[in-house]
Amino acid sequence: MQVIPLADGFGAELAGVGLVDVASSDAAYRAVRAAFEAHSLLVFRGQSVGDDLQAAFSRAFGPLELVKVGSVGHGTFYSRLSNLASDGTVVAENDRQIWRARANQLWHTDSSFKPTPALASVLSARTLPTAGGETEFASTRLAWERLPAAQQALLQRAIVTHSYAHSRDQIHPELMTAQERAALPPVRWRLTWRNPVNGRRALYVASHAYAVDGMGDNEAKALLAGLIAEATRPGRTYLHRWRPGDVAMWDNRATMHRGRPWPLQEPRAMVRTTIEARDADGLEEMRPAG
Ligand code: OGA
Ligand code: MN
């Protein structure tokens, strides 16, 4: 396995190992898992990936999340992010799927708004536009490590509320249905997530985060916006330009990401599988009561 760095301090392309190897060999899984813990973002090139292989690969890392109500692929393991209708035609620009794509263009970490957050996401490129449609990543581990010690001491155990409605309502008031709202009440997490393998902490912030215990609304929003802005400053991010056969996997405990726009008349289709976090992934310390 070769590890080729992608950005300054995080992200790596892995060569000489692929999804099939991880799905079928414990030694390959352990090597890739170690790279995941170290680099937070992994890219595999030239994969012939379909749904079954993507799920088999992902399952090596932990239990798979079921796609939530209101997303394409609801009730399966496969979240289908595309601008395609079920008949394969490109949807209109005012379609809910386009609102969803725009919401994904806010800096976020996947599933922080769920009662069980996500360890990792695995995203495969199935149909790519001729321009745009990149995915951009930032390390919230490096963002945390750059903060002055005095600020770290104040923030390390702060408690933040996350809600899917908070991010979706920024895009369109009707993006979320009443059923989705009822299914996804706000959840609370510590502001930093400690990786139990290497002890490194990361900021756990996202477009879904909006309130901080013991702080006024405006102060909390300014704090969160400031932390996100610092984490994602130009020069600190990695822009992934997708090629056919690419699969990316990121650590939702230690990164944020956002989709980038593309010409909407062109099809773009991606498939995401998502791995739930468990206590062994450091989740236990994230719960405010713990
Ligand atoms: C995701 C996501 C952005 C993109 O899959 O979680 O945010 O570029 N994707 O498709
Ligand atoms: Mn996402």
Side-chain angles (χ1 to χ4, degrees):
M1 179 174 101
Q2 296 115 260
V3 178
I4 305 150
L6 290 173
D8 199 8
F10 80 106
E13 177 183 330
L14 300 186
V17 66
L19 272 65
V20 173
D21 304 305
V22 172
S24 57
S25 146
D26 196 49
Y29 164 70
R30 277 187 272 109
V32 171
R33 178 79 193 220
F36 166 81
E37 303 287 0
H39 303 290
S40 305
L41 165 67
L42 302 179
V43 171
F44 302 84
R45 306 271 191 188
Q47 304 295 301
S48 337
V49 62
D51 291 353
D52 291 346
L53 175 58
Q54 189 168 333
F57 166 84
S58 303
R59 206 172 274 121
F61 294 82
L64 300 191
E65 209 177 71
L66 286 172
V67 176
K68 62 166 195 57
V69 65
S71 291
V72 182
H74 171 220
T76 73
F77 296 129
Y78 310 102
S79 181
R80 301 191 188 278
L81 295 90
S82 85
N83 59 341
L84 300 176
S86 49
D87 66 1
T89 59
V90 169
V91 300
E93 295 203 6
N94 60 354
D95 191 274
R96 185 177 296 267
Q97 271 170 256
I98 302 300
W99 302 349
R100 289 200 188 101
R102 284 178 44 220
N104 265 339
Q105 291 166 17
L106 303 171
W107 281 108
H108 67 281
T109 187
D110 294 328
S111 301
S112 71
F113 55 86
K114 292 186 180 172
T116 301
L119 168 69
S121 299
V122 178
L123 188 64
S124 65
R126 304 295 177 92
T127 304
L128 292 171
T130 57
E134 306 90 346
T135 309
E136 192 172 10
F137 295 89
S139 171
T140 58
R141 174 187 287 173
L142 295 177
W144 172 253
E145 290 174 349
R146 280 191 298 260
L147 288 179
Q151 204 182 357
Q152 287 183 338
L154 281 174
L155 295 180
Q156 183 168 304
R157 287 178 62 77
I159 296 166
V160 179
T161 306
H162 299 244
S163 157
Y164 197 58
H166 178 72
S167 60
R168 270 47 202 163
D169 289 350
Q170 292 172 44
I171 301 298
H172 197 291
E174 286 158 38
L175 211 179
M176 276 179 88
T177 60
Q179 187 193 16
E180 264 186 285
R181 280 179 206 279
L184 296 166
V187 297
R188 293 159 78 242
W189 304 117
R190 299 278 181 198
L191 180 58
T192 65
W193 195 320
R194 195 183 71 89
N195 179 309
V197 173
N198 53 35
R200 293 175 75 180
R201 278 184 190 278
L203 281 166
Y204 196 57
V205 288
S207 58
H208 317 299
Y210 64 97
V212 180
D213 280 22
M215 256 184 212
D217 284 0
N218 293 338
E219 192 191 352
K221 287 200 176 110
L223 171 69
L224 294 167
L227 292 172
I228 291 175
E230 276 299 308
T232 61
R233 254 169 49 182
R236 292 182 172 165
T237 65
Y238 165 69
L239 186 71
H240 186 68
R241 295 185 172 86
W242 293 94
R243 297 186 210 154
D246 279 2
V247 177
M249 172 183 205
W250 59 86
D251 187 339
N252 283 300
R253 302 168 301 178
T255 58
M256 282 191 296
H257 61 280
R258 63 174 179 177
R260 303 302 292 148
W262 73 95
L264 286 177
Q265 69 281 7
E266 292 193 30
R268 180 180 190 264
M270 312 291 285
V271 174
R272 197 182 92 200
T273 45
T274 313
I275 300 140
E276 291 184 344
R278 292 179 283 193
D279 285 353
D281 304 313
L283 176 58
E284 198 167 14
E285 295 172 26
M286 293 301 286
R287 298 191 185 98

